[in-house]
Amino acid sequence: MAILANKKVVIIGDRDGIPGPAIEECIKTSGAEVVFSSTECFV
């Protein structure tokens, strides 16, 4: 994903969906910098 290269990213995952750390691992391979990653519970 060249559109994320050299960008800063904030990740908010979902406890019942895709957790933040899983998204973070995918984003790191795109060349983006993860500045915040969290998994929240939306009820």
Side-chain angles (χ1 to χ4, degrees), residues 4 8-14 18-28 30 32-40 42:
L4 293 178
K8 296 182 187 293
V9 178
V10 173
I11 299 169
I12 301 174
D14 183 24
I18 303 172
I23 300 169
E24 183 175 353
E25 289 302 314
C26 296
I27 294 296
K28 283 181 182 177
S30 71
E33 176 187 354
V34 177
V35 294
F36 178 78
S37 177
S38 178
T39 300
E40 302 295 330
F42 299 101

